[in-house]
């Protein structure tokens, strides 16, 4: 009966909502597809079920050899808002351009055939765009791995934790981290006047389009409402290639973006720093399964990006393991680089640390033997931020006993102490428990001795708090972190 009531409610409210939105601007959803049969039905269903009703969905089949075209026609038959086009295989850039050419919407957004739209993201963004008159809206995107939905990368979360209306790029250069073409809404008049277009070869080419749009937009809206679900696939052209050609293609796109941002030197420097923190590490981590040609491409291209970044912030914000590797790239000593990679140099958590004249230093492979300045080995504040985890809980009479790990990553504990706060519970702390354990990608382990604690919350067995806040101190290091109580 409840299910029947919900169906009846939808049958009444959906047409009414569509009628109420009849005067709202048309939004074109462009969906290029090439052999995307496995996910296209889910993709198009998400587009059709948007609670922003004034949409047209332009599906363009780029010469698929599977059943993609049949799936698209089935949706077009069921929904007049879906238009299906076909072309000989020419690449996703050409497909997007062809679809934009026939789009009639006042706004454009792009949806890849293996991804999907969240229910409320487009409507929230369009609501703000109509108020601000901005040219671009930027939405957060989450990741899908198999059936699991993962939160956005930390830099995407950080960006969208601070929504904004009608800002300029110089005011919010952090928007550049959201560089994919999808999860954006573009005003069509702006798109045409700026002559935005996707390149034919699209490996990392989205970044050029978005950087140009951010630079030239009369107003950027940064939304805090999740708008897009990006399916992560290792076979993807942008996600899985471990070839020198892929490195050069990515670096070509980086160089092109930095050229686009040349009129804004401070923004350009910020973008270079973002690449070194968030993007290039993804490429260098692949050295663990790459060949000499791949390394040669990195050695040739990465030092130019380091030179473009602001030196003071580079030292403070780029993790030590990457600053050391980038210095090795600049030196060009291939043997030293391979030694560093094989000794798990890119996983600073596996190596001891200590206080040196330059600061709290990670003794990464090559310390004091490779021609790398000591300051490159200094850990950033972010790398030593306190971490807390409640690994388990049990009831002991009227008390709740928590198994807690608290540690400073990359730092071996010396004489740590903790203070625990909840919503008023009395917390007794014992320095007893298994240490936090870090496992590397190669299977090695590093324990943080003294990082295990037992916390007893008096009288809290029946009203367990949702989280605890722990202040950890060890010598000059102090930090506070919050952990959920399972």
């Amino acid at each position: 009966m409840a299910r029947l009531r919900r169906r009846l409610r939808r049958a009444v409210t959906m047409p009414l909502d569509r009628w109420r939105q009849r005067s709202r601007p048309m939004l074109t959803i462009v969906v290029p597809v090439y052999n995307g049969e496995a996910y296209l039905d889910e993709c198009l269903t998400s587009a059709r079920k948007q609670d922003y009703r004034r949409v047209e969905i332009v599906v363009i089949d780029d010469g698929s050899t599977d059943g993609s075209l049949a799936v698209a026609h089935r949706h077009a038959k069921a929904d007049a808002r879906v238009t299906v086009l076909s072309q000989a295989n020419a690449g996703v850039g050409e497909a997007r351009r062809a679809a934009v050419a026939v789009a009639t919407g006042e706004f454009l957004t792009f949806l890849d055939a293996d991804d999907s739209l969240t229910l409320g993201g487009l409507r929230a963004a369009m609501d703000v765009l109509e108020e601000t008159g901005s040219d671009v809206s930027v939405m957060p995107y989450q990741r899908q791995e198999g059936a699991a939905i993962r939160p956005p990368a930390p830099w995407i979360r950080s960006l969208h934790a601070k929504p904004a209306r009608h800002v300029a790029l110089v005011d919010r250069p952090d928007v550049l981290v959201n560089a994919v073409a999808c999860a954006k809404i573009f005003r069509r008049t702006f798109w045409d006047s700026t002559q935005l277009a996707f390149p034919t070869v699209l490996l990392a080419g989205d970044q050029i389009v978005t950087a140009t749009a951010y630079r030239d937009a009369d107003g950027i809206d940064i939304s805090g409402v999740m708008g897009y679900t990006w399916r992560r696939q290792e076979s993807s052209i942008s996600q899985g290639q471990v070839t020198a050609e892929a490195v050069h293609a990515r670096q070509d796109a980086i160089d092109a973006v930095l050229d686009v941002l040349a009129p804004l030197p401070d923004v350009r420097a910020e973008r270079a720093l973002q690449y070194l923190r968030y993007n290039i590490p993804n490429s260098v981590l692949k050295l663990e399964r790459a060949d000499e040609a791949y390394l040669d491409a990195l050695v040739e291209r990465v030092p130019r990006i380091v030179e473009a970044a602001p030196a003071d912030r580079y030292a403070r914000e780029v993790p030590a393991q990457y600053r050391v590797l980038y210095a090795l790239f600049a030196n060009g000593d291939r043997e030293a680089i391979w030694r560093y990679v094989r000794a798990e140099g890119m996983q600073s958590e596996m190596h001891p640390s200590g206080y040196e004249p330059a600061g709290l230093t990670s003794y990464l492979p090559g310390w004091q033997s490779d021609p790398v300045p000591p300051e490159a080995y200094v850990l950033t504040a972010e790398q030593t931020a306190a971490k807390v985890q409640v690994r388990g809980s049990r009831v002991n009479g009227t008390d709740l006993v928590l198994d807690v790990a608290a540690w400073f990553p990359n730092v071996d504990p010396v004489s740590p102490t903790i203070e625990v706060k909840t919503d008023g519970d009395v917390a007794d702390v014992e320095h007893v428990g298994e240490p936090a354990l870090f496992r590397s990608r190669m299977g090695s382990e590093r324990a943080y001795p003294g990082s295990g604690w037992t916390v007893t919350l008096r009288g809290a067995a029946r009203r367990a708090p949702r989280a605890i806040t722990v202040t950890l101190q060890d010598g000059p290091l102090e930090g506070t972190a919050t952990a959920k109580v399972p």
Side-chain angles (χ1 to χ4, degrees), residues 12 33 51 54 58 60 95 144 169 200 252 262 343 364-365 417 457:
V12 173
V33 55
D51 54 3
R54 286 276 291 164
V58 180
I60 179 159
Q144 183 167 358
L169 180 57
T200 300
D252 286 346
L364 295 164
T417 60
L457 303 181

Side-chain angles (χ1 to χ4, degrees), residues 39 42 114 143-150 229-233:
Y39 305 112
E42 179 183 350
D114 52 354
R143 299 171 297 162
Q144 183 167 358
E145 298 178 4
I149 300 296
R150 308 294 187 194
T229 301
W230 168 62
R231 190 183 303 273
R232 187 176 186 273
Q233 299 192 73

Side-chain angles (χ1 to χ4, degrees), residues 201-277:
V201 179
L202 201 63
L203 182 57
D206 285 7
Q207 299 177 34
I208 303 167
V209 174
T210 55
T212 303
Y214 293 152
R215 183 196 66 188
D216 295 342
D218 180 11
I220 302 167
D221 296 339
I222 301 173
S223 175
V225 180
M226 190 65 63
Y228 196 91
T229 301
W230 168 62
R231 190 183 303 273
R232 187 176 186 273
Q233 299 192 73
E234 282 302 321
S235 60
S236 163
I237 189 171
S238 62
Q239 297 172 42
Q241 293 190 357
V242 189
T243 65
E245 291 77 15
V247 172
H248 286 299
R250 294 187 193 100
Q251 293 297 132
D252 286 346
I254 290 173
D255 290 346
V257 167
L258 296 181
D259 287 344
V260 165
L261 300 175
L264 306 171
D266 290 343
V267 174
R268 181 180 185 273
E270 170 73 17
R271 187 58 177 136
L273 187 66
Q274 292 170 4
Y275 281 129
L276 294 165
R277 291 187 67 187

Side-chain angles (χ1 to χ4, degrees), residues 120-131:
L122 288 183
R123 185 167 187 169
M126 288 296 295
D127 287 346
V128 176
L129 275 168
E130 287 188 79
E131 293 178 14

